[in-house]
Every structure is written in C-alpha cells, then in structure tokens.
Amino acid sequence: MATRTDAPTRREQILKEAARLFAERGFHGVGVDEIGAAVGISGPGLYRHFAGKDAMLAELLVGISGQLLTGARRRLAEADGGPAGRDPEAVLDSLIEGHIDFALDDRPLITLHDRELDRLRDSDRKLVRQLQRQYVELWVEIVREVYPDLAEPAARSAVHSVFGLLNSTPHLGRAGALPGRGATAALLHRMARGAFGAAGTD
Amino acid sequence: MATRTDAPTRREQILKEAARLFAERGFHGVGVDEIGAAVGISGPGLYRHFAGKDAMLAELLVGISGQLLTGARRRLAEADGGPAGRDPEAVLDSLIEGHIDFALDDRPLITLHDRELDRLRDSDRKLVRQLQRQYVELWVEIVREVYPDLAEPAARSAVHSVFGLLNSTPHLGRAGALPGRGATAALLHRMARGAFGAAGTD
DNA sequence: CAGGGAGGTTAGCGCTCGTTAACCTGAAGG
DNA sequence: CCTTCAGGTTAACGAGCGCTAACCTCCCTG
C-alpha cells in the first residue's frame, strides 16, 4: 500500500482543478484560461502537460472508472481470501463502503462520471463504458448472491438505482448543516442496504 | 382535470426538443441551429418564440420545478381531504408515485433538473432553487411523520438521496432490457420505501 | 381588396474559445 | 561555460456560436 507523501505533480494539480471546474460549470462551460488560472499558470501553458482540453476530461473519466473497478476487485479478493469461504453480505457491505468513500471524498469526480461521458472521443468513451459495465456486473453478481430471489434485470436496475442514491452526495452539502462525515456515510450505507432488501421483496 | 387533446404548439415542440438535446449533450453542447432543425425550422427562426437560448433553459427548469411542487401539493391536499384525517403513509406513497411518474415520463427534464441549473440568470436560478427547496421541505415533513425517530437533518439527507435513487431512470434504459414500465415503477417504489425505512433505523 | 402581423428565410457581425507559433528563462549536466 | 530542455509567456489565428438585420410570404381581418 503506497501512501503518497510527496507533493502533487503539476499534472495532478491540473487534473484536480479541472475536475472541480468541470463539475461546477460543465465541460463546455469552462475555458482553458480558467483551468490554467486555477493552478497559477495561464491558458496555453496547460499544453505542456496535456494534448488538449479533451485529453484532461478523458484522463479524468478513465481514471475514475478504473479506480472504482480496481477498488471493487480488491475488496472482493480480500473477502474471498478469508478463511471461511466468501461471505456475500460482507462483500456487499465492503462494496457499499468503498463507493461511499469515493462519493464523499471525490464529489467533483462523481459528478463528472455520469455527466460528461458523451464529450469523449469514441475510443475513450468505449473504454469508460466497458469499465463501468464491469463494475456494475461485479455488483450485480454479489447482490444476487445476497438476495437470490432477485432476477438479473431487476438486480441490475437496483444496482443503478443504488448508485443514484449513493451519488447524491453532491446535493447534500449545500449548507454545512449535514451531520458530519461519519454519520452521513452510515446513513447512506443503511439506506443502500434497505433499498436492496426492499428490491428483493416481490 | 384538463386533458390535452389539441396539437402541441410550436413553442411546446421547441421546448420538448430543446430539453432532449440539452439532456443529451449539455446546454453549451447544443447550438440553436440544431434545436431549430429538430423542429423543422432553421436557427434564428427560434427567436420568434423565445428571447434567446437562455430563455428556453429557464422556462424548462422553472417549469419542471413548478410542476413537481404543484403536483406534490395537489397530492397532499387530496390525501388531507380524505374522511379519516391525514394518513402519512398514503401521502408518502403518493409523493413517491408522482415523482416516479415524472422520472419515467420526462427523463430529459429530470436530467436537466440537477445538471444545468448554474447556467441560469441569477433571478431565475433563485426562483428554481426556491421551488426545489419547497418541494424538498414538503417531503421532509411527510417523511418525518412516517418515521418520527428521524432527526430533521437526517431526514433531509434521506430525501435528497431518495431523489437520487428515483432520478436514476435515465441510466436504466441503455438497452431495452428493462422489465417494462410498471415493473420498473414498482421496483423503484419498493426501494424508496426500503431506503426510508432503513434511514429511520438508528 | 388593401394591409398588417405572425412566422419564416439568409447574410453576416462580433465575440469567445481552443489551439498553435514564437519567444523567454532558469536550472541541470557535461 | 556553454548547451539543452522543461515549463512557462504573449500574440494571434480560425472556427463556431448566439444573435440581429433585412427581407419574404402567407393568412386573417376590416
């Protein structure tokens, strides 16, 4: 487990600020000059680090999808490696926890994730879609193990809907009135489990 | 109850197509020429019906928020007008049903609703935000009647999250493999109730 | 039957934005 | 000490877009 202690590179600064701006005002609503200004350089200086504005968005979206999928696979492997065979309940809880962490810690990315996909080049979009699909299918598999009386199409719909629930985090923090990160995470977790449980009750 | 039988006006055609295009490619990603072409006239012809591209978006967003709020108030009044005092469970079910109908029948509008709000003039944005807030507060009130052991901030978060769940409909229809409108609506309804129920379980 | 407004058309202006070109600078390496 | 190169700068170009201007053509009405 590599914990970053070194300073973020300029590329990473740019990506972070670009994600924030894209999430706030949309891909077409942000100019390269603004992105540059956000990291203290001006407009065309960005082209020393990226081939173009499109490339930034592509790297962000591919990165998000890849991180989500990789994290989910890691959690699945960890649970499967346990002594007593795989415990589907524990795996599902772990998946939910991972997704919540992501939704709470990287809200701009979560926002971009299902908002700006169409602005990508065909090849990049296909890659992102493929990663997303694998992520969904991984969830569907586990959900059907926990709730066997759930048909596959219904399970897939349920997974998408729970993603909608968990990805609602950007709408929560309008005022600072939300009850702290831990409580919010626990609330989302309970609601996700409750939604899945109710989905299985025909 | 006025059921429309007359043909849609040109204005309405334009709004409908603009909503679809904005939802597909974002407000800045669509040109006025495209919107015009979608209704069979060309670019600047739109200015006979709207003051500008911004005005179309504003009318769409204000319309959505207003319809949602009006519908919710009507449902609340109908339930309150019943013989045996108000039944919070029934009201909540009715609110959920109304929101699901909207999410299933007007997916482009649902998409716009939380995506392009920032592109509005200040006054329009404030109006939309106010309508949205009233809609949320109406839900919060009913939810807290059904689940009294839910504190207000948690209830508000739960409402936003359930909106995220219900508004996931645009992500469901990738392939035509979803199990029909009725089944989808029922699934979403069960999940929403399950999520609220789990939110109340501390 | 005149006339006027509703609802189109095309041409074109002005601005914004992504991108490139040309140039500069400070620090590292032989 | 000279070179080189990463990482900036400003100027400017070209395309696209929202919007206006000017004009046309029905259709309705007095």
Side-chain angles (χ1 to χ4, degrees):
Chain A
M1 177 154 332
T3 319
R4 295 275 314 257
T5 60
D6 47 339
T9 92
R10 176 68 14 130
R11 267 183 74 89
E12 288 167 334
Q13 289 181 44
I14 295 172
L15 283 176
K16 184 182 166 191
E17 294 303 310
R20 185 179 54 81
L21 290 168
F22 289 161
E24 282 175 7
R25 300 209 291 283
F27 179 69
H28 286 110
V30 180
V32 291
D33 290 355
E34 286 178 273
I35 303 173
V39 296
I41 71 181
S42 219
L46 297 171
Y47 287 76
R48 298 288 166 190
H49 304 275
F50 293 92
K53 198 181 158 195
D54 299 346
M56 300 180 209
L57 183 64
E59 188 156 330
L60 282 171
L61 292 184
V62 173
I64 302 163
S65 311
Q67 271 183 253
L68 276 175
L69 179 57
T70 302
R73 280 183 175 153
R74 180 173 41 76
R75 287 168 182 273
L76 181 61
E78 282 169 4
D80 272 348
R86 102 151 76 164
D87 176 1
E89 299 265 354
V91 177
L92 182 55
D93 279 327
S94 180
L95 288 180
I96 293 172
E97 186 188 318
H99 197 105
I100 289 176
D101 284 346
F102 202 82
L104 285 175
D105 295 338
D106 297 285
R107 301 189 190 193
L109 293 183
I110 281 290
T111 300
L112 283 185
H113 186 250
D114 59 37
R115 187 168 295 197
E116 307 285 359
L117 184 58
D118 313 318
R119 267 52 120 198
L120 260 51
R121 288 177 21 229
D122 274 22
S123 61
D124 289 324
R125 187 170 55 250
K126 279 190 177 166
L127 173 57
V128 171
R129 282 241 169 83
Q130 184 182 330
L131 293 168
Q132 287 181 346
R133 192 169 350 112
Q134 292 179 65
Y135 184 65
V136 170
E137 292 311 315
L138 194 152
W139 275 69
V140 168
E141 191 182 338
I142 300 299
V143 165
R144 294 198 67 202
E145 289 180 22
V146 178
Y147 305 99
D149 52 341
L150 200 56
E152 193 184 315
R156 188 170 293 108
S157 293
V159 167
H160 279 291
S161 298
V162 166
F163 287 169
L165 189 155
L166 299 179
N167 292 350
S168 67
T169 50
H171 302 289
L172 302 183
R174 296 282 181 210
L178 80 172
R181 194 208 136 104
T184 301
L187 177 65
L188 289 172
H189 200 127
R190 289 201 311 275
M191 292 181 75
R193 285 306 294 254
F196 277 133
T201 311
D202 285 329
Chain B
M1 176 155 334
T3 318
R4 295 274 314 256
T5 61
D6 45 340
T9 94
R10 175 79 356 138
R11 267 183 73 90
E12 288 167 335
Q13 288 180 44
I14 295 172
L15 283 176
K16 184 182 166 193
E17 294 303 309
R20 184 179 55 80
L21 290 167
F22 289 160
E24 280 175 9
R25 299 209 290 284
F27 179 69
H28 285 110
V30 180
V32 290
D33 291 356
E34 288 179 273
I35 303 174
V39 296
I41 71 181
S42 216
L46 297 171
Y47 288 76
R48 299 287 166 191
H49 303 275
F50 293 93
K53 199 182 158 194
D54 299 346
M56 300 181 209
L57 183 65
E59 187 155 330
L60 282 171
L61 292 184
V62 172
I64 302 163
S65 311
Q67 271 184 253
L68 277 175
L69 179 58
T70 301
R73 281 181 174 155
R74 181 172 42 75
R75 288 169 181 274
L76 181 61
E78 284 169 3
D80 272 348
R86 103 149 75 163
D87 175 2
E89 299 266 355
V91 176
L92 181 56
D93 280 326
S94 180
L95 288 180
I96 293 172
E97 186 188 318
H99 197 106
I100 289 176
D101 284 345
F102 202 82
L104 285 175
D105 296 337
D106 297 284
R107 300 190 192 192
L109 293 184
I110 281 290
T111 300
L112 284 186
H113 186 249
D114 60 36
R115 185 169 299 195
E116 308 284 0
L117 185 57
D118 314 320
R119 267 53 117 197
L120 260 51
R121 290 177 19 229
D122 274 22
S123 61
D124 290 324
R125 187 170 55 249
K126 279 191 176 164
L127 173 56
V128 171
R129 282 241 168 84
Q130 183 183 331
L131 294 168
Q132 287 181 347
R133 193 169 351 112
Q134 292 179 64
Y135 184 64
V136 170
E137 292 310 314
L138 195 151
W139 275 68
V140 168
E141 190 182 341
I142 301 298
V143 165
R144 293 198 67 202
E145 289 179 21
V146 178
Y147 305 99
D149 52 340
L150 201 55
E152 192 184 317
R156 189 169 291 107
S157 293
V159 166
H160 279 292
S161 298
V162 166
F163 286 169
L165 188 156
L166 299 179
N167 293 350
S168 67
T169 50
H171 302 289
L172 302 183
R174 295 286 181 207
L178 80 170
R181 194 208 134 104
T184 301
L187 176 65
L188 289 172
H189 200 128
R190 290 202 309 275
M191 292 181 75
R193 285 306 294 255
F196 277 133
T201 312
D202 284 329

